[in-house]
Amino acid sequence: IFMFRWLMYKQVMGCSYRDLESMSNIDHSTFIKFRKRLMETTWFARIFKTLTRSITQHADSFLLLLDSSFVETYSKHDEKGSAYSGYKEKNGFKLHEIIDYHTRLPLLQYATSGARSDVIWGSRLIRAAPRSWNVQALSADKGYDSEYFVNDIVLKWKNAEIAIPLRDIPHGNEHNKRLRGAKRTNKSILYRMRTEIERYFSRKKEVFHLGEEKTRHLENFNANCHVTAIMEILEWLSENPAWRVLFTRL
């Protein structure tokens, strides 16, 4: 716990292992080996799942927001597990994530190369989510405009309202557009909700410095994503005494 606290301090302050050594009197190589050992045992991912499982088990309902965020590689060149994004014109990785609108907490996430399809990995997130969640609505941008994706949501949570805007398809007609939008809601408030996840990603990068770490390769990026997610949940717990009492009993 003592060592992990220092790793969290490093993440939020954006400092180096050498800085940790000067402050903690622990050799910088010890921190590096400790972090590597946690990665090898998938400790970060398991702690993230434990925290989110406890949160979702005690939540009455969810308004889900789905999106992805691109992060350029530290070297700004091709690295193991990265890919070139033609849209961003950079090499990097992607974090695909579902968050809860009410708490602004991450619930599910995948880290991939920077060229992976949003809608494909969005479907994987939906399939990984428990059917027992009481999902009232799911909001996402036009990148997730796919009938197959919408059907995945309907099959998982039949009562959930789906707020995904329709893309303009060349040579399309109004009849096809009505058919595509038949399973989607018209509530404007749910469409406006999705901008919250963009602010969420901005805060993840600006406050928790995701993408600024001096680490390389997809494996390290995945660990960094889990560390920032754990920190977000711990920050939220520190501001919610009732939840903090619950978690101390786990």
Side-chain angles (χ1 to χ4, degrees):
I1 293 174
F2 178 75
M3 293 286 287
F4 182 61
R5 284 176 175 172
W6 278 112
L7 289 184
M8 289 193 293
Y9 179 86
K10 175 183 180 297
Q11 185 75 32
V12 77
M13 297 304 294
C15 59
S16 67
Y17 288 112
R18 292 284 186 180
D19 295 327
L20 293 189
E21 179 179 336
S22 65
M23 291 181 284
S24 66
N25 294 321
I26 300 173
D27 191 83
H28 72 280
S29 63
T30 302
F31 283 110
I32 295 173
K33 292 174 183 176
F34 174 70
R35 183 179 183 276
K36 184 177 181 180
R37 186 164 67 249
L38 295 184
M39 289 173 57
E40 289 173 348
T41 59
T42 66
W43 187 86
F44 296 120
R46 288 188 288 114
I47 292 298
F48 171 70
K49 289 180 181 178
T50 298
L51 292 173
T52 55
R53 187 185 305 118
S54 299
I55 291 171
T56 55
Q57 286 176 348
H58 294 85
D60 295 328
S61 63
F62 299 98
L63 293 177
L64 301 182
L65 307 180
L66 168 64
D67 205 352
S68 71
S69 184
F70 180 89
V71 174
E72 188 177 12
T73 60
Y74 172 69
S75 66
K76 301 188 185 303
H77 300 291
D78 185 36
E79 295 178 3
K80 183 178 179 181
S82 71
Y84 180 78
S85 170
Y87 178 73
K88 296 288 186 178
E89 297 183 348
K90 296 176 181 178
N91 281 290
F93 311 103
K94 264 186 179 180
L95 173 60
H96 307 263
E97 200 158 32
I98 289 179
I99 73 169
D100 175 46
Y101 177 79
H102 295 302
T103 60
R104 272 57 164 186
L105 290 180
L107 302 180
L108 287 166
Q109 63 182 33
Y110 287 126
T112 69
S113 66
R116 294 303 178 95
S117 166
D118 286 351
V119 70
I120 290 176
W121 283 89
S123 290
R124 295 189 180 189
L125 285 169
I126 297 301
R127 289 196 291 269
R131 193 180 299 273
S132 59
W133 286 3
N134 181 19
V135 177
Q136 301 295 307
L138 184 144
S139 181
D141 62 25
K142 289 183 179 181
Y144 298 90
D145 176 23
S146 163
E147 284 306 287
Y148 295 106
F149 179 66
V150 171
N151 286 334
D152 284 342
I153 301 172
V154 172
L155 290 174
K156 178 71 72 166
W157 306 296
K158 63 180 181 179
N159 295 322
E161 296 183 278
I162 303 171
I164 300 175
L166 296 169
R167 289 178 293 183
D168 292 327
I169 299 178
H171 312 297
N173 57 54
E174 286 300 317
H175 177 67
N176 288 335
K177 191 172 183 178
R178 285 195 299 272
L179 290 176
R180 289 168 52 221
K183 298 177 182 178
R184 309 184 201 191
T185 182
N186 293 321
K187 293 181 180 178
S188 58
I189 188 172
L190 295 180
Y191 285 90
R192 292 196 298 270
M193 274 174 28
R194 71 178 187 273
T195 58
E196 187 59 39
I197 196 170
E198 297 173 4
R199 289 187 284 274
Y200 165 83
F201 279 128
S202 294
R203 187 172 188 270
K204 185 185 283 284
K205 294 177 180 179
E206 293 173 6
V207 175
F208 297 102
H209 302 287
L210 179 66
E212 297 180 6
E213 308 93 343
K214 296 180 180 180
T215 53
R216 301 172 188 262
H217 313 320
L218 178 59
E219 184 180 14
N220 276 308
F221 175 70
N222 185 42
N224 295 338
C225 290
H226 280 118
V227 170
T228 56
I230 291 169
M231 292 172 67
E232 288 164 347
I233 295 173
L234 294 179
E235 178 191 45
W236 180 79
L237 285 171
S238 69
E239 299 172 353
N240 293 269
W243 279 94
R244 188 163 63 247
V245 170
L246 170 65
F247 272 74
T248 57
R249 296 176 180 173
L250 296 178

PDB file of all heavy atoms in Angstrom, residues 150-184:
ATOM      1  N   VAL A 150     -26.465  -1.128 -32.009  1.00  0.00           N
ATOM      2  CA  VAL A 150     -27.734  -0.817 -31.346  1.00  0.00           C
ATOM      3  C   VAL A 150     -28.442  -2.094 -30.915  1.00  0.00           C
ATOM      4  O   VAL A 150     -28.989  -2.178 -29.808  1.00  0.00           O
ATOM      5  CB  VAL A 150     -28.636   0.025 -32.273  1.00  0.00           C
ATOM      6  CG1 VAL A 150     -30.031   0.168 -31.685  1.00  0.00           C
ATOM      7  CG2 VAL A 150     -28.020   1.401 -32.508  1.00  0.00           C
ATOM      8  N   ASN A 151     -28.414  -3.112 -31.767  1.00  0.00           N
ATOM      9  CA  ASN A 151     -29.048  -4.391 -31.420  1.00  0.00           C
ATOM     10  C   ASN A 151     -28.362  -5.048 -30.229  1.00  0.00           C
ATOM     11  O   ASN A 151     -29.021  -5.692 -29.407  1.00  0.00           O
ATOM     12  CB  ASN A 151     -29.034  -5.339 -32.617  1.00  0.00           C
ATOM     13  CG  ASN A 151     -30.044  -4.938 -33.685  1.00  0.00           C
ATOM     14  OD1 ASN A 151     -31.050  -4.301 -33.379  1.00  0.00           O
ATOM     15  ND2 ASN A 151     -29.772  -5.285 -34.926  1.00  0.00           N
ATOM     16  N   ASP A 152     -27.024  -4.901 -30.146  1.00  0.00           N
ATOM     17  CA  ASP A 152     -26.301  -5.448 -28.991  1.00  0.00           C
ATOM     18  C   ASP A 152     -26.811  -4.825 -27.690  1.00  0.00           C
ATOM     19  O   ASP A 152     -26.978  -5.514 -26.678  1.00  0.00           O
ATOM     20  CB  ASP A 152     -24.801  -5.176 -29.127  1.00  0.00           C
ATOM     21  CG  ASP A 152     -24.125  -6.103 -30.127  1.00  0.00           C
ATOM     22  OD1 ASP A 152     -24.726  -7.141 -30.452  1.00  0.00           O
ATOM     23  OD2 ASP A 152     -23.006  -5.781 -30.564  1.00  0.00           O
ATOM     24  N   ILE A 153     -27.071  -3.515 -27.730  1.00  0.00           N
ATOM     25  CA  ILE A 153     -27.564  -2.824 -26.541  1.00  0.00           C
ATOM     26  C   ILE A 153     -28.974  -3.282 -26.200  1.00  0.00           C
ATOM     27  O   ILE A 153     -29.301  -3.540 -25.036  1.00  0.00           O
ATOM     28  CB  ILE A 153     -27.545  -1.294 -26.758  1.00  0.00           C
ATOM     29  CG1 ILE A 153     -26.117  -0.818 -27.062  1.00  0.00           C
ATOM     30  CG2 ILE A 153     -28.103  -0.569 -25.539  1.00  0.00           C
ATOM     31  CD1 ILE A 153     -26.041   0.632 -27.487  1.00  0.00           C
ATOM     32  N   VAL A 154     -29.831  -3.399 -27.225  1.00  0.00           N
ATOM     33  CA  VAL A 154     -31.218  -3.821 -27.009  1.00  0.00           C
ATOM     34  C   VAL A 154     -31.273  -5.231 -26.427  1.00  0.00           C
ATOM     35  O   VAL A 154     -32.068  -5.521 -25.514  1.00  0.00           O
ATOM     36  CB  VAL A 154     -32.010  -3.753 -28.332  1.00  0.00           C
ATOM     37  CG1 VAL A 154     -33.390  -4.375 -28.159  1.00  0.00           C
ATOM     38  CG2 VAL A 154     -32.129  -2.313 -28.802  1.00  0.00           C
ATOM     39  N   LEU A 155     -30.427  -6.126 -26.934  1.00  0.00           N
ATOM     40  CA  LEU A 155     -30.401  -7.496 -26.433  1.00  0.00           C
ATOM     41  C   LEU A 155     -29.883  -7.562 -24.996  1.00  0.00           C
ATOM     42  O   LEU A 155     -30.313  -8.413 -24.219  1.00  0.00           O
ATOM     43  CB  LEU A 155     -29.524  -8.366 -27.346  1.00  0.00           C
ATOM     44  CG  LEU A 155     -30.083  -8.654 -28.739  1.00  0.00           C
ATOM     45  CD1 LEU A 155     -29.049  -9.385 -29.583  1.00  0.00           C
ATOM     46  CD2 LEU A 155     -31.361  -9.491 -28.642  1.00  0.00           C
ATOM     47  N   LYS A 156     -28.975  -6.660 -24.649  1.00  0.00           N
ATOM     48  CA  LYS A 156     -28.412  -6.661 -23.296  1.00  0.00           C
ATOM     49  C   LYS A 156     -29.377  -6.020 -22.299  1.00  0.00           C
ATOM     50  O   LYS A 156     -29.631  -6.566 -21.225  1.00  0.00           O
ATOM     51  CB  LYS A 156     -27.076  -5.924 -23.305  1.00  0.00           C
ATOM     52  CG  LYS A 156     -26.409  -5.811 -21.950  1.00  0.00           C
ATOM     53  CD  LYS A 156     -25.861  -7.144 -21.449  1.00  0.00           C
ATOM     54  CE  LYS A 156     -24.641  -7.571 -22.219  1.00  0.00           C
ATOM     55  NZ  LYS A 156     -23.900  -8.650 -21.576  1.00  0.00           N
ATOM     56  N   TRP A 157     -29.877  -4.828 -22.652  1.00  0.00           N
ATOM     57  CA  TRP A 157     -30.774  -4.090 -21.743  1.00  0.00           C
ATOM     58  C   TRP A 157     -31.977  -3.588 -22.550  1.00  0.00           C
ATOM     59  O   TRP A 157     -31.945  -2.504 -23.134  1.00  0.00           O
ATOM     60  CB  TRP A 157     -30.052  -2.905 -21.106  1.00  0.00           C
ATOM     61  CG  TRP A 157     -28.774  -3.294 -20.415  1.00  0.00           C
ATOM     62  CD1 TRP A 157     -28.642  -4.114 -19.331  1.00  0.00           C
ATOM     63  CD2 TRP A 157     -27.447  -2.868 -20.753  1.00  0.00           C
ATOM     64  NE1 TRP A 157     -27.321  -4.227 -18.976  1.00  0.00           N
ATOM     65  CE2 TRP A 157     -26.572  -3.469 -19.814  1.00  0.00           C
ATOM     66  CE3 TRP A 157     -26.920  -2.026 -21.742  1.00  0.00           C
ATOM     67  CZ2 TRP A 157     -25.188  -3.264 -19.870  1.00  0.00           C
ATOM     68  CZ3 TRP A 157     -25.550  -1.820 -21.785  1.00  0.00           C
ATOM     69  CH2 TRP A 157     -24.701  -2.441 -20.859  1.00  0.00           C
ATOM     70  N   LYS A 158     -33.029  -4.354 -22.597  1.00  0.00           N
ATOM     71  CA  LYS A 158     -34.152  -4.071 -23.490  1.00  0.00           C
ATOM     72  C   LYS A 158     -34.877  -2.771 -23.153  1.00  0.00           C
ATOM     73  O   LYS A 158     -35.535  -2.186 -24.004  1.00  0.00           O
ATOM     74  CB  LYS A 158     -35.134  -5.237 -23.509  1.00  0.00           C
ATOM     75  CG  LYS A 158     -35.783  -5.521 -22.164  1.00  0.00           C
ATOM     76  CD  LYS A 158     -36.752  -6.692 -22.292  1.00  0.00           C
ATOM     77  CE  LYS A 158     -37.447  -6.979 -20.960  1.00  0.00           C
ATOM     78  NZ  LYS A 158     -38.405  -8.108 -21.083  1.00  0.00           N
ATOM     79  N   ASN A 159     -34.787  -2.307 -21.898  1.00  0.00           N
ATOM     80  CA  ASN A 159     -35.500  -1.091 -21.511  1.00  0.00           C
ATOM     81  C   ASN A 159     -34.639   0.169 -21.593  1.00  0.00           C
ATOM     82  O   ASN A 159     -35.116   1.259 -21.267  1.00  0.00           O
ATOM     83  CB  ASN A 159     -36.030  -1.243 -20.083  1.00  0.00           C
ATOM     84  CG  ASN A 159     -37.083  -2.339 -19.974  1.00  0.00           C
ATOM     85  OD1 ASN A 159     -37.899  -2.509 -20.873  1.00  0.00           O
ATOM     86  ND2 ASN A 159     -37.047  -3.089 -18.881  1.00  0.00           N
ATOM     87  N   ALA A 160     -33.396   0.028 -21.997  1.00  0.00           N
ATOM     88  CA  ALA A 160     -32.494   1.180 -22.057  1.00  0.00           C
ATOM     89  C   ALA A 160     -32.810   2.063 -23.263  1.00  0.00           C
ATOM     90  O   ALA A 160     -33.032   1.567 -24.378  1.00  0.00           O
ATOM     91  CB  ALA A 160     -31.048   0.717 -22.132  1.00  0.00           C
ATOM     92  N   GLU A 161     -32.836   3.370 -23.050  1.00  0.00           N
ATOM     93  CA  GLU A 161     -33.000   4.320 -24.148  1.00  0.00           C
ATOM     94  C   GLU A 161     -31.632   4.552 -24.804  1.00  0.00           C
ATOM     95  O   GLU A 161     -30.640   4.756 -24.095  1.00  0.00           O
ATOM     96  CB  GLU A 161     -33.577   5.631 -23.650  1.00  0.00           C
ATOM     97  CG  GLU A 161     -34.979   5.500 -23.087  1.00  0.00           C
ATOM     98  CD  GLU A 161     -35.558   6.846 -22.675  1.00  0.00           C
ATOM     99  OE1 GLU A 161     -35.235   7.301 -21.559  1.00  0.00           O
ATOM    100  OE2 GLU A 161     -36.313   7.437 -23.472  1.00  0.00           O
ATOM    101  N   ILE A 162     -31.604   4.547 -26.114  1.00  0.00           N
ATOM    102  CA  ILE A 162     -30.343   4.646 -26.854  1.00  0.00           C
ATOM    103  C   ILE A 162     -30.266   6.002 -27.535  1.00  0.00           C
ATOM    104  O   ILE A 162     -31.115   6.336 -28.364  1.00  0.00           O
ATOM    105  CB  ILE A 162     -30.222   3.512 -27.892  1.00  0.00           C
ATOM    106  CG1 ILE A 162     -30.332   2.152 -27.186  1.00  0.00           C
ATOM    107  CG2 ILE A 162     -28.927   3.622 -28.669  1.00  0.00           C
ATOM    108  CD1 ILE A 162     -30.442   0.986 -28.132  1.00  0.00           C
ATOM    109  N   ALA A 163     -29.247   6.776 -27.171  1.00  0.00           N
ATOM    110  CA  ALA A 163     -29.065   8.115 -27.728  1.00  0.00           C
ATOM    111  C   ALA A 163     -27.777   8.147 -28.556  1.00  0.00           C
ATOM    112  O   ALA A 163     -26.717   8.547 -28.084  1.00  0.00           O
ATOM    113  CB  ALA A 163     -29.011   9.158 -26.617  1.00  0.00           C
ATOM    114  N   ILE A 164     -27.878   7.680 -29.791  1.00  0.00           N
ATOM    115  CA  ILE A 164     -26.758   7.697 -30.734  1.00  0.00           C
ATOM    116  C   ILE A 164     -27.236   8.398 -31.996  1.00  0.00           C
ATOM    117  O   ILE A 164     -28.162   7.921 -32.667  1.00  0.00           O
ATOM    118  CB  ILE A 164     -26.274   6.278 -31.081  1.00  0.00           C
ATOM    119  CG1 ILE A 164     -25.807   5.548 -29.813  1.00  0.00           C
ATOM    120  CG2 ILE A 164     -25.155   6.320 -32.106  1.00  0.00           C
ATOM    121  CD1 ILE A 164     -25.425   4.100 -30.043  1.00  0.00           C
ATOM    122  N   PRO A 165     -26.661   9.541 -32.345  1.00  0.00           N
ATOM    123  CA  PRO A 165     -27.142  10.274 -33.524  1.00  0.00           C
ATOM    124  C   PRO A 165     -26.884   9.518 -34.821  1.00  0.00           C
ATOM    125  O   PRO A 165     -25.928   8.742 -34.927  1.00  0.00           O
ATOM    126  CB  PRO A 165     -26.331  11.578 -33.474  1.00  0.00           C
ATOM    127  CG  PRO A 165     -25.140  11.271 -32.648  1.00  0.00           C
ATOM    128  CD  PRO A 165     -25.557  10.230 -31.656  1.00  0.00           C
ATOM    129  N   LEU A 166     -27.739   9.745 -35.793  1.00  0.00           N
ATOM    130  CA  LEU A 166     -27.619   9.095 -37.104  1.00  0.00           C
ATOM    131  C   LEU A 166     -26.658   9.867 -37.991  1.00  0.00           C
ATOM    132  O   LEU A 166     -26.703  11.088 -38.065  1.00  0.00           O
ATOM    133  CB  LEU A 166     -28.985   9.021 -37.780  1.00  0.00           C
ATOM    134  CG  LEU A 166     -30.045   8.157 -37.083  1.00  0.00           C
ATOM    135  CD1 LEU A 166     -31.404   8.400 -37.716  1.00  0.00           C
ATOM    136  CD2 LEU A 166     -29.679   6.684 -37.167  1.00  0.00           C
ATOM    137  N   ARG A 167     -25.786   9.143 -38.663  1.00  0.00           N
ATOM    138  CA  ARG A 167     -24.903   9.772 -39.641  1.00  0.00           C
ATOM    139  C   ARG A 167     -25.654   9.974 -40.957  1.00  0.00           C
ATOM    140  O   ARG A 167     -26.573   9.224 -41.276  1.00  0.00           O
ATOM    141  CB  ARG A 167     -23.670   8.900 -39.886  1.00  0.00           C
ATOM    142  CG  ARG A 167     -22.701   8.855 -38.729  1.00  0.00           C
ATOM    143  CD  ARG A 167     -21.537   7.946 -39.015  1.00  0.00           C
ATOM    144  NE  ARG A 167     -21.970   6.549 -39.111  1.00  0.00           N
ATOM    145  CZ  ARG A 167     -21.153   5.518 -39.305  1.00  0.00           C
ATOM    146  NH1 ARG A 167     -19.861   5.745 -39.462  1.00  0.00           N
ATOM    147  NH2 ARG A 167     -21.610   4.287 -39.361  1.00  0.00           N
ATOM    148  N   ASP A 168     -25.231  10.980 -41.709  1.00  0.00           N
ATOM    149  CA  ASP A 168     -25.792  11.189 -43.039  1.00  0.00           C
ATOM    150  C   ASP A 168     -25.124  10.223 -44.007  1.00  0.00           C
ATOM    151  O   ASP A 168     -23.917  10.263 -44.218  1.00  0.00           O
ATOM    152  CB  ASP A 168     -25.556  12.632 -43.495  1.00  0.00           C
ATOM    153  CG  ASP A 168     -26.351  13.629 -42.675  1.00  0.00           C
ATOM    154  OD1 ASP A 168     -27.464  13.280 -42.243  1.00  0.00           O
ATOM    155  OD2 ASP A 168     -25.848  14.748 -42.449  1.00  0.00           O
ATOM    156  N   ILE A 169     -25.931   9.336 -44.588  1.00  0.00           N
ATOM    157  CA  ILE A 169     -25.414   8.331 -45.517  1.00  0.00           C
ATOM    158  C   ILE A 169     -25.670   8.800 -46.948  1.00  0.00           C
ATOM    159  O   ILE A 169     -26.806   9.124 -47.302  1.00  0.00           O
ATOM    160  CB  ILE A 169     -26.086   6.963 -45.280  1.00  0.00           C
ATOM    161  CG1 ILE A 169     -25.777   6.480 -43.864  1.00  0.00           C
ATOM    162  CG2 ILE A 169     -25.617   5.946 -46.309  1.00  0.00           C
ATOM    163  CD1 ILE A 169     -26.433   5.171 -43.512  1.00  0.00           C
ATOM    164  N   PRO A 170     -24.630   8.850 -47.795  1.00  0.00           N
ATOM    165  CA  PRO A 170     -24.835   9.248 -49.193  1.00  0.00           C
ATOM    166  C   PRO A 170     -25.851   8.340 -49.877  1.00  0.00           C
ATOM    167  O   PRO A 170     -25.853   7.120 -49.681  1.00  0.00           O
ATOM    168  CB  PRO A 170     -23.446   9.074 -49.810  1.00  0.00           C
ATOM    169  CG  PRO A 170     -22.497   9.174 -48.663  1.00  0.00           C
ATOM    170  CD  PRO A 170     -23.214   8.583 -47.482  1.00  0.00           C
ATOM    171  N   HIS A 171     -26.727   8.940 -50.634  1.00  0.00           N
ATOM    172  CA  HIS A 171     -27.758   8.221 -51.397  1.00  0.00           C
ATOM    173  C   HIS A 171     -28.789   7.547 -50.485  1.00  0.00           C
ATOM    174  O   HIS A 171     -29.529   6.669 -50.936  1.00  0.00           O
ATOM    175  CB  HIS A 171     -27.137   7.167 -52.321  1.00  0.00           C
ATOM    176  CG  HIS A 171     -25.991   7.670 -53.139  1.00  0.00           C
ATOM    177  ND1 HIS A 171     -26.135   8.668 -54.076  1.00  0.00           N
ATOM    178  CD2 HIS A 171     -24.672   7.335 -53.132  1.00  0.00           C
ATOM    179  CE1 HIS A 171     -24.958   8.917 -54.629  1.00  0.00           C
ATOM    180  NE2 HIS A 171     -24.054   8.134 -54.070  1.00  0.00           N
ATOM    181  N   GLY A 172     -28.820   7.933 -49.206  1.00  0.00           N
ATOM    182  CA  GLY A 172     -29.832   7.385 -48.313  1.00  0.00           C
ATOM    183  C   GLY A 172     -31.154   8.100 -48.513  1.00  0.00           C
ATOM    184  O   GLY A 172     -31.243   9.122 -49.179  1.00  0.00           O
ATOM    185  N   ASN A 173     -32.204   7.567 -47.928  1.00  0.00           N
ATOM    186  CA  ASN A 173     -33.515   8.196 -48.029  1.00  0.00           C
ATOM    187  C   ASN A 173     -34.164   8.258 -46.651  1.00  0.00           C
ATOM    188  O   ASN A 173     -33.690   7.654 -45.685  1.00  0.00           O
ATOM    189  CB  ASN A 173     -34.409   7.447 -49.029  1.00  0.00           C
ATOM    190  CG  ASN A 173     -34.570   5.971 -48.675  1.00  0.00           C
ATOM    191  OD1 ASN A 173     -34.953   5.637 -47.564  1.00  0.00           O
ATOM    192  ND2 ASN A 173     -34.276   5.094 -49.636  1.00  0.00           N
ATOM    193  N   GLU A 174     -35.252   9.002 -46.565  1.00  0.00           N
ATOM    194  CA  GLU A 174     -35.910   9.214 -45.280  1.00  0.00           C
ATOM    195  C   GLU A 174     -36.484   7.923 -44.696  1.00  0.00           C
ATOM    196  O   GLU A 174     -36.495   7.732 -43.482  1.00  0.00           O
ATOM    197  CB  GLU A 174     -37.031  10.245 -45.444  1.00  0.00           C
ATOM    198  CG  GLU A 174     -36.542  11.663 -45.603  1.00  0.00           C
ATOM    199  CD  GLU A 174     -35.729  12.119 -44.406  1.00  0.00           C
ATOM    200  OE1 GLU A 174     -36.148  11.825 -43.247  1.00  0.00           O
ATOM    201  OE2 GLU A 174     -34.677  12.739 -44.604  1.00  0.00           O
ATOM    202  N   HIS A 175     -36.934   7.022 -45.572  1.00  0.00           N
ATOM    203  CA  HIS A 175     -37.498   5.759 -45.083  1.00  0.00           C
ATOM    204  C   HIS A 175     -36.426   4.941 -44.366  1.00  0.00           C
ATOM    205  O   HIS A 175     -36.657   4.434 -43.248  1.00  0.00           O
ATOM    206  CB  HIS A 175     -38.072   4.951 -46.248  1.00  0.00           C
ATOM    207  CG  HIS A 175     -38.602   3.607 -45.848  1.00  0.00           C
ATOM    208  ND1 HIS A 175     -39.710   3.459 -45.037  1.00  0.00           N
ATOM    209  CD2 HIS A 175     -38.150   2.342 -46.115  1.00  0.00           C
ATOM    210  CE1 HIS A 175     -39.940   2.172 -44.838  1.00  0.00           C
ATOM    211  NE2 HIS A 175     -39.001   1.478 -45.477  1.00  0.00           N
ATOM    212  N   ASN A 176     -35.240   4.817 -44.974  1.00  0.00           N
ATOM    213  CA  ASN A 176     -34.146   4.071 -44.347  1.00  0.00           C
ATOM    214  C   ASN A 176     -33.704   4.747 -43.049  1.00  0.00           C
ATOM    215  O   ASN A 176     -33.358   4.078 -42.069  1.00  0.00           O
ATOM    216  CB  ASN A 176     -32.965   3.950 -45.303  1.00  0.00           C
ATOM    217  CG  ASN A 176     -33.239   2.991 -46.441  1.00  0.00           C
ATOM    218  OD1 ASN A 176     -34.072   2.095 -46.298  1.00  0.00           O
ATOM    219  ND2 ASN A 176     -32.566   3.162 -47.562  1.00  0.00           N
ATOM    220  N   LYS A 177     -33.714   6.079 -43.058  1.00  0.00           N
ATOM    221  CA  LYS A 177     -33.301   6.817 -41.870  1.00  0.00           C
ATOM    222  C   LYS A 177     -34.267   6.560 -40.715  1.00  0.00           C
ATOM    223  O   LYS A 177     -33.843   6.396 -39.569  1.00  0.00           O
ATOM    224  CB  LYS A 177     -33.228   8.310 -42.184  1.00  0.00           C
ATOM    225  CG  LYS A 177     -32.555   9.133 -41.106  1.00  0.00           C
ATOM    226  CD  LYS A 177     -32.342  10.559 -41.558  1.00  0.00           C
ATOM    227  CE  LYS A 177     -31.589  11.360 -40.506  1.00  0.00           C
ATOM    228  NZ  LYS A 177     -31.338  12.755 -40.956  1.00  0.00           N
ATOM    229  N   ARG A 178     -35.556   6.504 -41.003  1.00  0.00           N
ATOM    230  CA  ARG A 178     -36.547   6.222 -39.961  1.00  0.00           C
ATOM    231  C   ARG A 178     -36.379   4.808 -39.419  1.00  0.00           C
ATOM    232  O   ARG A 178     -36.517   4.576 -38.215  1.00  0.00           O
ATOM    233  CB  ARG A 178     -37.964   6.409 -40.503  1.00  0.00           C
ATOM    234  CG  ARG A 178     -38.379   7.877 -40.666  1.00  0.00           C
ATOM    235  CD  ARG A 178     -39.875   7.983 -40.843  1.00  0.00           C
ATOM    236  NE  ARG A 178     -40.332   7.285 -42.026  1.00  0.00           N
ATOM    237  CZ  ARG A 178     -40.400   7.838 -43.242  1.00  0.00           C
ATOM    238  NH1 ARG A 178     -40.044   9.099 -43.412  1.00  0.00           N
ATOM    239  NH2 ARG A 178     -40.843   7.132 -44.268  1.00  0.00           N
ATOM    240  N   LEU A 179     -36.073   3.855 -40.299  1.00  0.00           N
ATOM    241  CA  LEU A 179     -35.858   2.477 -39.858  1.00  0.00           C
ATOM    242  C   LEU A 179     -34.629   2.373 -38.954  1.00  0.00           C
ATOM    243  O   LEU A 179     -34.652   1.674 -37.943  1.00  0.00           O
ATOM    244  CB  LEU A 179     -35.698   1.554 -41.071  1.00  0.00           C
ATOM    245  CG  LEU A 179     -36.946   1.298 -41.916  1.00  0.00           C
ATOM    246  CD1 LEU A 179     -36.598   0.442 -43.121  1.00  0.00           C
ATOM    247  CD2 LEU A 179     -38.037   0.620 -41.086  1.00  0.00           C
ATOM    248  N   ARG A 180     -33.567   3.077 -39.322  1.00  0.00           N
ATOM    249  CA  ARG A 180     -32.335   3.046 -38.528  1.00  0.00           C
ATOM    250  C   ARG A 180     -32.536   3.698 -37.161  1.00  0.00           C
ATOM    251  O   ARG A 180     -31.922   3.299 -36.177  1.00  0.00           O
ATOM    252  CB  ARG A 180     -31.201   3.748 -39.277  1.00  0.00           C
ATOM    253  CG  ARG A 180     -30.691   2.970 -40.498  1.00  0.00           C
ATOM    254  CD  ARG A 180     -29.774   3.841 -41.361  1.00  0.00           C
ATOM    255  NE  ARG A 180     -28.716   4.447 -40.564  1.00  0.00           N
ATOM    256  CZ  ARG A 180     -28.300   5.711 -40.714  1.00  0.00           C
ATOM    257  NH1 ARG A 180     -28.874   6.498 -41.615  1.00  0.00           N
ATOM    258  NH2 ARG A 180     -27.321   6.176 -39.972  1.00  0.00           N
ATOM    259  N   GLY A 181     -33.400   4.698 -37.114  1.00  0.00           N
ATOM    260  CA  GLY A 181     -33.603   5.409 -35.865  1.00  0.00           C
ATOM    261  C   GLY A 181     -34.755   4.888 -35.020  1.00  0.00           C
ATOM    262  O   GLY A 181     -35.061   5.461 -33.972  1.00  0.00           O
ATOM    263  N   ALA A 182     -35.370   3.790 -35.463  1.00  0.00           N
ATOM    264  CA  ALA A 182     -36.573   3.289 -34.785  1.00  0.00           C
ATOM    265  C   ALA A 182     -36.310   2.873 -33.347  1.00  0.00           C
ATOM    266  O   ALA A 182     -37.187   3.008 -32.484  1.00  0.00           O
ATOM    267  CB  ALA A 182     -37.149   2.106 -35.572  1.00  0.00           C
ATOM    268  N   LYS A 183     -35.127   2.374 -33.057  1.00  0.00           N
ATOM    269  CA  LYS A 183     -34.818   1.877 -31.712  1.00  0.00           C
ATOM    270  C   LYS A 183     -34.106   2.929 -30.853  1.00  0.00           C
ATOM    271  O   LYS A 183     -33.626   2.616 -29.771  1.00  0.00           O
ATOM    272  CB  LYS A 183     -33.951   0.624 -31.803  1.00  0.00           C
ATOM    273  CG  LYS A 183     -34.640  -0.538 -32.519  1.00  0.00           C
ATOM    274  CD  LYS A 183     -33.712  -1.720 -32.646  1.00  0.00           C
ATOM    275  CE  LYS A 183     -34.390  -2.864 -33.397  1.00  0.00           C
ATOM    276  NZ  LYS A 183     -33.479  -4.026 -33.591  1.00  0.00           N
ATOM    277  N   ARG A 184     -34.060   4.157 -31.353  1.00  0.00           N
ATOM    278  CA  ARG A 184     -33.336   5.205 -30.636  1.00  0.00           C
ATOM    279  C   ARG A 184     -34.300   6.269 -30.114  1.00  0.00           C
ATOM    280  O   ARG A 184     -35.358   6.495 -30.679  1.00  0.00           O
ATOM    281  CB  ARG A 184     -32.273   5.833 -31.538  1.00  0.00           C
ATOM    282  CG  ARG A 184     -31.391   4.780 -32.200  1.00  0.00           C
ATOM    283  CD  ARG A 184     -30.270   5.367 -33.008  1.00  0.00           C
ATOM    284  NE  ARG A 184     -29.782   4.408 -33.992  1.00  0.00           N
ATOM    285  CZ  ARG A 184     -28.690   4.535 -34.704  1.00  0.00           C
ATOM    286  NH1 ARG A 184     -27.944   5.626 -34.564  1.00  0.00           N
ATOM    287  NH2 ARG A 184     -28.318   3.613 -35.580  1.00  0.00           N
TER     288      ARG A 184
END
